[in-house]
Amino acid sequence: MNELKQIYNKLLKAYGLQGWWPLVGHDGCNPTKTGSVNGYHPGDYSFPKDVGQRFEICVGAILTQNTGWPQVEKALVNLDKVCGISPNELLDIEEDKLKQAIKPAGYFNQKARKLKQFAEFYLELDGRIPLRDELLGVWGIGPETADSILLYAFSVPSFVVDAYTKRVLLGLGLIGDDAGYDDIKDLFESHIDKDFKIYQEYHALLVEHAKRFYSKKPYGVTDFLAGLSK
DNA sequence: AACCAGGACGTGA
DNA sequence: TCACGTCATGGT
């Protein structure tokens, strides 16, 4: 068994199933993740259950750029109140009202524009699953957001790499400081079975682990996984 | 009171 | 290609 699989097993044993992506309108959802916001559904991979939930995940992926989830949740609740979370409703709402609603998530000028443009793109899809390159062509969607949308909204096994992921792998000595986004993505995808459930859990587990051991400098000095590699 | 959060884009070299 | 500045609110 390769090292990345061992790390996955160890993280899973330590933290359990994470149940990403959290949903605000959690109908049919079982928010059992203790000590966290509602909307998680550990062990249930039948999400999103409808197009509404699918679009909400996309919106959340954009709103969470460089921002903590609790703030995104406030923005989503506001959005749901002032117009609703659907492509048409986001296109119809006046931009200033949109900015006001998503303000808690920060970068409201940019993110309001991003949401408008994504809503348009989403309608053009007409129910089809987008290609990664198509997502990257939308203004405001970079590699991490594209992969998050593919993995959590469309259940496509595209591994998500974020700042935490890089810190953990760097701390374990598995990559160099010069490793880029695609290098790290390819590393996971070449060593882990292309199963969207495993990719969803693995990314969420890395975030959970990083929040505990890699949130303040010096990063990773107390990482209990560090003994895995040398 | 800095520092950071589940980044992405625009610019100049 | 790449390093760097910008965007913005709210936690710790």
Side-chain angles (χ1 to χ4, degrees):
Chain A
M1 179 163 38
N2 68 57
E3 200 163 0
L4 285 177
K5 282 187 181 174
Q6 292 181 37
I7 291 170
Y8 174 75
N9 290 335
K10 195 162 181 178
L11 288 171
L12 186 58
K13 187 176 294 181
Y15 307 127
L17 296 171
Q18 299 298 300
W20 278 33
W21 190 279
L23 291 155
V24 175
H26 49 280
D27 26 289
C29 183
N30 183 27
T32 58
K33 193 183 185 213
T34 53
S36 185
V37 294
N38 289 347
Y40 292 92
H41 40 86
D44 185 351
Y45 300 98
S46 62
F47 294 92
K49 292 189 179 297
D50 52 55
V51 289
Q53 291 187 343
R54 170 167 293 120
F55 189 71
E56 181 189 320
I57 293 172
C58 298
V59 170
I62 291 170
L63 289 178
T64 198
Q65 290 172 0
N66 209 33
T67 304
W69 187 258
Q71 293 161 246
V72 174
E73 200 187 32
K74 293 174 194 167
L76 288 173
V77 169
N78 288 345
L79 257 188
D80 197 33
K81 238 182 287 183
V82 298
C83 71
I85 305 175
S86 72
N88 283 312
E89 287 167 323
L90 288 189
L91 285 173
D92 289 343
I93 189 176
E94 191 184 343
E95 191 148 334
D96 285 330
K97 285 186 180 177
L98 179 55
K99 289 179 183 177
Q100 195 60 32
I102 65 175
K103 204 162 189 174
Y107 305 94
F108 51 84
N109 289 306
Q110 292 183 354
K111 285 178 179 175
R113 203 174 131 204
K114 292 178 181 182
L115 290 179
K116 289 274 191 189
Q117 302 213 18
F118 181 78
E120 203 165 331
F121 168 79
Y122 190 90
L123 284 179
E124 287 169 3
L125 282 178
D126 196 29
R128 184 173 56 84
I129 297 178
L131 298 174
R132 188 169 190 267
D133 283 339
E134 292 180 308
L135 285 166
L136 291 175
V138 180
W139 188 86
I141 308 246
E144 186 189 336
T145 307
D147 290 328
S148 294
I149 288 173
L150 286 171
L151 182 59
Y152 292 104
F154 291 95
S155 303
V156 173
S158 193
F159 205 92
V160 178
V161 177
D162 62 2
Y164 282 151
T165 309
K166 183 167 183 176
R167 274 187 217 170
V168 173
L169 262 58
L170 203 54
L172 296 178
L174 294 177
I175 58 170
D177 192 37
D178 59 331
Y181 187 98
D182 289 328
D183 298 325
I184 301 172
K185 177 182 173 64
D186 291 344
L187 185 62
F188 281 100
E189 295 191 353
S190 60
H191 290 279
I192 304 293
D193 299 330
K194 284 211 160 222
D195 180 340
F196 82 90
K197 301 175 183 178
I198 296 178
Y199 281 18
Q200 288 184 356
E201 290 297 340
Y202 206 155
H203 172 66
L205 285 165
L206 283 168
V207 171
E208 178 61 29
H209 183 66
K211 278 179 174 169
R212 303 186 186 211
F213 295 94
Y214 292 83
S215 27
K216 44 190 178 298
K217 297 180 186 177
Y219 296 136
V221 289
T222 60
D223 190 341
F224 76 97
L225 286 176
L228 274 178
S229 50
K230 46 189 164 309

